[in-house]
mmCIF file of all heavy atoms in Angstrom:
data_model
loop_
_atom_site.group_PDB
_atom_site.id
_atom_site.type_symbol
_atom_site.label_atom_id
_atom_site.label_comp_id
_atom_site.label_asym_id
_atom_site.label_seq_id
_atom_site.Cartn_x
_atom_site.Cartn_y
_atom_site.Cartn_z
ATOM 1 N N LEU B 1519 -81.061 1.213 8.580
ATOM 2 C CA LEU B 1519 -80.899 2.297 7.621
ATOM 3 C C LEU B 1519 -81.876 3.430 7.927
ATOM 4 O O LEU B 1519 -81.524 4.605 7.920
ATOM 5 C CB LEU B 1519 -81.155 1.749 6.218
ATOM 6 C CG LEU B 1519 -80.467 2.492 5.080
ATOM 7 C CD1 LEU B 1519 -78.973 2.256 5.168
ATOM 8 C CD2 LEU B 1519 -81.007 2.009 3.744
ATOM 9 N N PHE B 1520 -83.105 3.048 8.218
ATOM 10 C CA PHE B 1520 -84.150 4.034 8.515
ATOM 11 C C PHE B 1520 -83.775 4.846 9.742
ATOM 12 O O PHE B 1520 -83.879 6.076 9.750
ATOM 13 C CB PHE B 1520 -85.479 3.314 8.741
ATOM 14 C CG PHE B 1520 -86.631 4.236 8.985
ATOM 15 C CD1 PHE B 1520 -87.097 5.067 7.972
ATOM 16 C CD2 PHE B 1520 -87.261 4.278 10.218
ATOM 17 C CE1 PHE B 1520 -88.162 5.914 8.196
ATOM 18 C CE2 PHE B 1520 -88.325 5.127 10.439
ATOM 19 C CZ PHE B 1520 -88.782 5.940 9.430
ATOM 20 N N LEU B 1521 -83.303 4.144 10.770
ATOM 21 C CA LEU B 1521 -82.880 4.838 11.984
ATOM 22 C C LEU B 1521 -81.758 5.819 11.668
ATOM 23 O O LEU B 1521 -81.769 6.965 12.110
ATOM 24 C CB LEU B 1521 -82.412 3.822 13.026
ATOM 25 C CG LEU B 1521 -81.740 4.422 14.267
ATOM 26 C CD1 LEU B 1521 -82.728 5.260 15.037
ATOM 27 C CD2 LEU B 1521 -81.176 3.343 15.154
ATOM 28 N N LEU B 1522 -80.829 5.342 10.840
ATOM 29 C CA LEU B 1522 -79.678 6.173 10.491
ATOM 30 C C LEU B 1522 -80.127 7.445 9.762
ATOM 31 O O LEU B 1522 -79.659 8.538 10.056
ATOM 32 C CB LEU B 1522 -78.740 5.361 9.600
ATOM 33 C CG LEU B 1522 -77.259 5.647 9.784
ATOM 34 C CD1 LEU B 1522 -76.820 5.155 11.146
ATOM 35 C CD2 LEU B 1522 -76.460 4.980 8.678
ATOM 36 N N VAL B 1523 -81.054 7.255 8.815
ATOM 37 C CA VAL B 1523 -81.517 8.396 8.022
ATOM 38 C C VAL B 1523 -82.242 9.410 8.912
ATOM 39 O O VAL B 1523 -81.937 10.606 8.898
ATOM 40 C CB VAL B 1523 -82.447 7.925 6.878
ATOM 41 C CG1 VAL B 1523 -83.130 9.117 6.223
ATOM 42 C CG2 VAL B 1523 -81.652 7.143 5.857
ATOM 43 N N THR B 1524 -83.193 8.935 9.725
ATOM 44 C CA THR B 1524 -83.925 9.875 10.574
ATOM 45 C C THR B 1524 -82.976 10.533 11.577
ATOM 46 O O THR B 1524 -83.080 11.720 11.860
ATOM 47 C CB THR B 1524 -85.072 9.191 11.335
ATOM 48 O OG1 THR B 1524 -84.538 8.092 12.070
ATOM 49 C CG2 THR B 1524 -86.148 8.716 10.404
ATOM 50 N N PHE B 1525 -82.020 9.744 12.076
ATOM 51 C CA PHE B 1525 -81.030 10.282 13.013
ATOM 52 C C PHE B 1525 -80.242 11.411 12.356
ATOM 53 O O PHE B 1525 -80.058 12.479 12.939
ATOM 54 C CB PHE B 1525 -80.094 9.158 13.451
ATOM 55 C CG PHE B 1525 -79.013 9.599 14.390
ATOM 56 C CD1 PHE B 1525 -79.244 9.656 15.750
ATOM 57 C CD2 PHE B 1525 -77.756 9.939 13.912
ATOM 58 C CE1 PHE B 1525 -78.248 10.060 16.618
ATOM 59 C CE2 PHE B 1525 -76.758 10.351 14.780
ATOM 60 C CZ PHE B 1525 -77.012 10.414 16.130
ATOM 61 N N ALA B 1526 -79.843 11.176 11.100
ATOM 62 C CA ALA B 1526 -79.061 12.186 10.387
ATOM 63 C C ALA B 1526 -79.861 13.471 10.237
ATOM 64 O O ALA B 1526 -79.343 14.574 10.421
ATOM 65 C CB ALA B 1526 -78.641 11.655 9.024
ATOM 66 N N PHE B 1527 -81.166 13.319 9.920
ATOM 67 C CA PHE B 1527 -81.973 14.523 9.738
ATOM 68 C C PHE B 1527 -82.183 15.258 11.047
ATOM 69 O O PHE B 1527 -82.213 16.489 11.085
ATOM 70 C CB PHE B 1527 -83.305 14.175 9.066
ATOM 71 C CG PHE B 1527 -83.175 14.043 7.577
ATOM 72 C CD1 PHE B 1527 -83.016 12.804 6.979
ATOM 73 C CD2 PHE B 1527 -83.191 15.163 6.780
ATOM 74 C CE1 PHE B 1527 -82.879 12.690 5.611
ATOM 75 C CE2 PHE B 1527 -83.051 15.059 5.403
ATOM 76 C CZ PHE B 1527 -82.899 13.821 4.824
ATOM 77 N N ALA B 1528 -82.327 14.484 12.140
ATOM 78 C CA ALA B 1528 -82.449 15.144 13.443
ATOM 79 C C ALA B 1528 -81.156 15.880 13.775
ATOM 80 O O ALA B 1528 -81.170 16.960 14.369
ATOM 81 C CB ALA B 1528 -82.783 14.128 14.526
ATOM 82 N N ALA B 1529 -80.025 15.258 13.356
ATOM 83 C CA ALA B 1529 -78.733 15.878 13.656
ATOM 84 C C ALA B 1529 -78.561 17.197 12.907
ATOM 85 O O ALA B 1529 -77.818 18.070 13.359
ATOM 86 C CB ALA B 1529 -77.606 14.920 13.304
ATOM 87 N N ILE B 1530 -79.276 17.351 11.764
ATOM 88 C CA ILE B 1530 -79.163 18.595 10.999
ATOM 89 C C ILE B 1530 -79.483 19.801 11.873
ATOM 90 O O ILE B 1530 -78.806 20.835 11.817
ATOM 91 C CB ILE B 1530 -80.109 18.555 9.771
ATOM 92 C CG1 ILE B 1530 -79.550 17.604 8.721
ATOM 93 C CG2 ILE B 1530 -80.287 19.949 9.182
ATOM 94 C CD1 ILE B 1530 -80.372 17.534 7.467
ATOM 95 N N VAL B 1531 -80.508 19.648 12.731
ATOM 96 C CA VAL B 1531 -80.894 20.766 13.593
ATOM 97 C C VAL B 1531 -79.737 21.152 14.505
ATOM 98 O O VAL B 1531 -79.429 22.332 14.679
ATOM 99 C CB VAL B 1531 -82.134 20.384 14.429
ATOM 100 C CG1 VAL B 1531 -82.584 21.564 15.257
ATOM 101 C CG2 VAL B 1531 -83.259 19.916 13.536
ATOM 102 N N LEU B 1532 -79.084 20.132 15.088
ATOM 103 C CA LEU B 1532 -77.948 20.402 15.977
ATOM 104 C C LEU B 1532 -76.801 21.038 15.208
ATOM 105 O O LEU B 1532 -76.181 21.997 15.674
ATOM 106 C CB LEU B 1532 -77.465 19.107 16.626
ATOM 107 C CG LEU B 1532 -78.395 18.479 17.645
ATOM 108 C CD1 LEU B 1532 -77.771 17.247 18.246
ATOM 109 C CD2 LEU B 1532 -78.709 19.482 18.723
ATOM 110 N N VAL B 1533 -76.541 20.479 14.017
ATOM 111 C CA VAL B 1533 -75.451 21.010 13.193
ATOM 112 C C VAL B 1533 -75.718 22.466 12.858
ATOM 113 O O VAL B 1533 -74.811 23.300 12.875
ATOM 114 C CB VAL B 1533 -75.289 20.164 11.916
ATOM 115 C CG1 VAL B 1533 -74.327 20.828 10.947
ATOM 116 C CG2 VAL B 1533 -74.819 18.770 12.270
ATOM 117 N N ALA B 1534 -77.005 22.787 12.574
ATOM 118 C CA ALA B 1534 -77.344 24.174 12.228
ATOM 119 C C ALA B 1534 -77.006 25.107 13.388
ATOM 120 O O ALA B 1534 -76.394 26.161 13.193
ATOM 121 C CB ALA B 1534 -78.823 24.277 11.868
ATOM 122 N N LEU B 1535 -77.386 24.713 14.596
ATOM 123 C CA LEU B 1535 -77.110 25.577 15.749
ATOM 124 C C LEU B 1535 -75.607 25.740 15.949
ATOM 125 O O LEU B 1535 -75.108 26.865 16.131
ATOM 126 C CB LEU B 1535 -77.736 24.999 17.014
ATOM 127 C CG LEU B 1535 -77.596 25.919 18.223
ATOM 128 C CD1 LEU B 1535 -78.694 26.960 18.217
ATOM 129 C CD2 LEU B 1535 -77.613 25.161 19.526
ATOM 130 N N ALA B 1536 -74.886 24.621 15.871
ATOM 131 C CA ALA B 1536 -73.432 24.692 16.028
ATOM 132 C C ALA B 1536 -72.838 25.558 14.925
ATOM 133 O O ALA B 1536 -71.955 26.388 15.175
ATOM 134 C CB ALA B 1536 -72.834 23.287 15.989
ATOM 135 N N GLY B 1537 -73.351 25.384 13.693
ATOM 136 C CA GLY B 1537 -72.856 26.165 12.567
ATOM 137 C C GLY B 1537 -73.071 27.655 12.781
ATOM 138 O O GLY B 1537 -72.197 28.471 12.495
ATOM 139 N N ILE B 1538 -74.243 28.012 13.307
ATOM 140 C CA ILE B 1538 -74.529 29.426 13.560
ATOM 141 C C ILE B 1538 -73.505 29.994 14.539
ATOM 142 O O ILE B 1538 -72.896 31.037 14.292
ATOM 143 C CB ILE B 1538 -75.960 29.591 14.118
ATOM 144 C CG1 ILE B 1538 -76.987 29.275 13.029
ATOM 145 C CG2 ILE B 1538 -76.173 31.000 14.648
ATOM 146 C CD1 ILE B 1538 -78.410 29.300 13.496
ATOM 147 N N LEU B 1539 -73.302 29.267 15.647
ATOM 148 C CA LEU B 1539 -72.355 29.750 16.659
ATOM 149 C C LEU B 1539 -70.956 29.913 16.075
ATOM 150 O O LEU B 1539 -70.316 30.958 16.217
ATOM 151 C CB LEU B 1539 -72.313 28.781 17.833
ATOM 152 C CG LEU B 1539 -73.281 29.094 18.969
ATOM 153 C CD1 LEU B 1539 -73.206 28.037 20.042
ATOM 154 C CD2 LEU B 1539 -72.972 30.466 19.542
ATOM 155 N N VAL B 1540 -70.489 28.841 15.393
ATOM 156 C CA VAL B 1540 -69.125 28.867 14.867
ATOM 157 C C VAL B 1540 -68.955 29.986 13.854
ATOM 158 O O VAL B 1540 -68.011 30.779 13.924
ATOM 159 C CB VAL B 1540 -68.770 27.495 14.238
ATOM 160 C CG1 VAL B 1540 -67.467 27.599 13.460
ATOM 161 C CG2 VAL B 1540 -68.684 26.429 15.310
ATOM 162 N N SER B 1541 -69.913 30.090 12.908
ATOM 163 C CA SER B 1541 -69.736 31.089 11.854
ATOM 164 C C SER B 1541 -69.790 32.503 12.435
ATOM 165 O O SER B 1541 -69.074 33.394 11.996
ATOM 166 C CB SER B 1541 -70.781 30.910 10.756
ATOM 167 O OG SER B 1541 -72.015 31.395 11.177
ATOM 168 N N LEU B 1542 -70.652 32.716 13.455
ATOM 169 C CA LEU B 1542 -70.711 34.045 14.053
ATOM 170 C C LEU B 1542 -69.387 34.390 14.734
ATOM 171 O O LEU B 1542 -68.861 35.501 14.579
ATOM 172 C CB LEU B 1542 -71.853 34.129 15.072
ATOM 173 C CG LEU B 1542 -73.273 34.171 14.515
ATOM 174 C CD1 LEU B 1542 -74.281 34.304 15.624
ATOM 175 C CD2 LEU B 1542 -73.441 35.307 13.531
ATOM 176 N N VAL B 1543 -68.832 33.419 15.461
ATOM 177 C CA VAL B 1543 -67.569 33.675 16.152
ATOM 178 C C VAL B 1543 -66.459 33.957 15.141
ATOM 179 O O VAL B 1543 -65.698 34.922 15.276
ATOM 180 C CB VAL B 1543 -67.188 32.477 17.059
ATOM 181 C CG1 VAL B 1543 -65.772 32.647 17.579
ATOM 182 C CG2 VAL B 1543 -68.158 32.362 18.216
ATOM 183 N N VAL B 1544 -66.402 33.126 14.088
ATOM 184 C CA VAL B 1544 -65.351 33.298 13.084
ATOM 185 C C VAL B 1544 -65.448 34.664 12.421
ATOM 186 O O VAL B 1544 -64.470 35.396 12.295
ATOM 187 C CB VAL B 1544 -65.441 32.173 12.017
ATOM 188 C CG1 VAL B 1544 -64.583 32.508 10.809
ATOM 189 C CG2 VAL B 1544 -65.037 30.845 12.625
ATOM 190 N N GLU B 1545 -66.677 35.030 12.016
ATOM 191 C CA GLU B 1545 -66.845 36.287 11.291
ATOM 192 C C GLU B 1545 -66.647 37.490 12.210
ATOM 193 O O GLU B 1545 -66.269 38.571 11.756
ATOM 194 C CB GLU B 1545 -68.239 36.355 10.657
ATOM 195 C CG GLU B 1545 -68.521 35.266 9.636
ATOM 196 C CD GLU B 1545 -67.812 35.518 8.311
ATOM 197 O OE1 GLU B 1545 -67.569 36.690 7.984
ATOM 198 O OE2 GLU B 1545 -67.509 34.541 7.620
ATOM 199 N N ALA B 1546 -66.945 37.316 13.493
ATOM 200 C CA ALA B 1546 -66.839 38.451 14.410
ATOM 201 C C ALA B 1546 -65.420 38.615 14.928
ATOM 202 O O ALA B 1546 -65.084 39.629 15.533
ATOM 203 C CB ALA B 1546 -67.808 38.260 15.583
ATOM 204 N N TRP B 1547 -64.564 37.619 14.675
ATOM 205 C CA TRP B 1547 -63.247 37.598 15.290
ATOM 206 C C TRP B 1547 -62.420 38.870 15.069
ATOM 207 O O TRP B 1547 -61.861 39.405 16.037
ATOM 208 C CB TRP B 1547 -62.473 36.356 14.826
ATOM 209 C CG TRP B 1547 -61.240 36.170 15.635
ATOM 210 C CD1 TRP B 1547 -59.958 36.256 15.217
ATOM 211 C CD2 TRP B 1547 -61.182 35.887 17.038
ATOM 212 N NE1 TRP B 1547 -59.096 36.047 16.249
ATOM 213 C CE2 TRP B 1547 -59.814 35.819 17.388
ATOM 214 C CE3 TRP B 1547 -62.142 35.713 18.035
ATOM 215 C CZ2 TRP B 1547 -59.392 35.576 18.687
ATOM 216 C CZ3 TRP B 1547 -61.722 35.465 19.335
ATOM 217 C CH2 TRP B 1547 -60.364 35.391 19.646
ATOM 218 N N PRO B 1548 -62.360 39.399 13.837
ATOM 219 C CA PRO B 1548 -61.568 40.625 13.633
ATOM 220 C C PRO B 1548 -61.993 41.767 14.554
ATOM 221 O O PRO B 1548 -61.135 42.514 15.046
ATOM 222 C CB PRO B 1548 -61.839 40.986 12.170
ATOM 223 C CG PRO B 1548 -62.200 39.700 11.534
ATOM 224 C CD PRO B 1548 -62.910 38.897 12.573
ATOM 225 N N ALA B 1549 -63.289 41.871 14.814
ATOM 226 C CA ALA B 1549 -63.759 42.955 15.682
ATOM 227 C C ALA B 1549 -63.286 42.736 17.115
ATOM 228 O O ALA B 1549 -62.848 43.674 17.786
ATOM 229 C CB ALA B 1549 -65.279 43.045 15.637
ATOM 230 N N PHE B 1550 -63.373 41.484 17.578
ATOM 231 C CA PHE B 1550 -62.930 41.205 18.947
ATOM 232 C C PHE B 1550 -61.425 41.415 19.083
ATOM 233 O O PHE B 1550 -60.930 41.872 20.105
ATOM 234 C CB PHE B 1550 -63.305 39.783 19.366
ATOM 235 C CG PHE B 1550 -64.763 39.636 19.686
ATOM 236 C CD1 PHE B 1550 -65.533 38.662 19.072
ATOM 237 C CD2 PHE B 1550 -65.363 40.489 20.594
ATOM 238 C CE1 PHE B 1550 -66.876 38.539 19.365
ATOM 239 C CE2 PHE B 1550 -66.710 40.375 20.900
ATOM 240 C CZ PHE B 1550 -67.473 39.393 20.283
ATOM 241 N N ARG B 1551 -60.678 41.045 18.007
ATOM 242 C CA ARG B 1551 -59.230 41.210 18.064
ATOM 243 C C ARG B 1551 -58.872 42.693 18.138
ATOM 244 O O ARG B 1551 -57.968 43.104 18.843
ATOM 245 C CB ARG B 1551 -58.597 40.574 16.818
ATOM 246 C CG ARG B 1551 -57.134 40.202 16.999
ATOM 247 C CD ARG B 1551 -56.627 39.542 15.738
ATOM 248 N NE ARG B 1551 -57.080 40.272 14.544
ATOM 249 C CZ ARG B 1551 -57.225 39.707 13.350
ATOM 250 N NH1 ARG B 1551 -56.955 38.433 13.174
ATOM 251 N NH2 ARG B 1551 -57.617 40.413 12.312
ATOM 252 N N GLU B 1552 -59.647 43.510 17.393
ATOM 253 C CA GLU B 1552 -59.351 44.934 17.339
ATOM 254 C C GLU B 1552 -59.728 45.646 18.641
ATOM 255 O O GLU B 1552 -58.960 46.436 19.160
ATOM 256 C CB GLU B 1552 -60.112 45.560 16.159
ATOM 257 C CG GLU B 1552 -59.998 47.059 16.045
ATOM 258 C CD GLU B 1552 -58.672 47.474 15.421
ATOM 259 O OE1 GLU B 1552 -58.050 46.619 14.758
ATOM 260 O OE2 GLU B 1552 -58.274 48.640 15.605
ATOM 261 N N PHE B 1553 -60.913 45.329 19.166
ATOM 262 C CA PHE B 1553 -61.422 46.106 20.306
ATOM 263 C C PHE B 1553 -61.341 45.362 21.629
ATOM 264 O O PHE B 1553 -61.436 45.976 22.688
ATOM 265 C CB PHE B 1553 -62.869 46.526 20.062
ATOM 266 C CG PHE B 1553 -63.052 47.333 18.812
ATOM 267 C CD1 PHE B 1553 -63.705 46.798 17.711
ATOM 268 C CD2 PHE B 1553 -62.528 48.613 18.725
ATOM 269 C CE1 PHE B 1553 -63.861 47.542 16.553
ATOM 270 C CE2 PHE B 1553 -62.680 49.357 17.568
ATOM 271 C CZ PHE B 1553 -63.339 48.824 16.474
ATOM 272 N N GLY B 1554 -61.215 44.027 21.569
ATOM 273 C CA GLY B 1554 -61.152 43.260 22.809
ATOM 274 C C GLY B 1554 -62.415 43.412 23.627
ATOM 275 O O GLY B 1554 -63.517 43.525 23.083
ATOM 276 N N VAL B 1555 -62.261 43.449 24.943
ATOM 277 C CA VAL B 1555 -63.414 43.606 25.824
ATOM 278 C C VAL B 1555 -64.042 44.988 25.639
ATOM 279 O O VAL B 1555 -65.216 45.197 25.925
ATOM 280 C CB VAL B 1555 -63.000 43.388 27.294
ATOM 281 C CG1 VAL B 1555 -64.222 43.292 28.190
ATOM 282 C CG2 VAL B 1555 -62.153 42.124 27.413
ATOM 283 N N GLY B 1556 -63.229 45.914 25.151
ATOM 284 C CA GLY B 1556 -63.716 47.275 24.929
ATOM 285 C C GLY B 1556 -64.927 47.316 24.011
ATOM 286 O O GLY B 1556 -65.712 48.262 24.069
#
Side-chain angles (χ1 to χ4, degrees):
Chain B
L1519 206 69
F1520 183 67
L1521 171 64
L1522 214 68
V1523 169
T1524 55
F1525 179 86
F1527 279 97
I1530 287 182
V1531 183
L1532 291 183
V1533 171
L1535 185 83
I1538 291 175
L1539 268 177
V1540 169
S1541 76
L1542 287 182
V1543 170
V1544 167
E1545 298 285 332
W1547 191 246
F1550 284 126
R1551 202 178 44 206
E1552 175 79 20
F1553 302 110
V1555 191

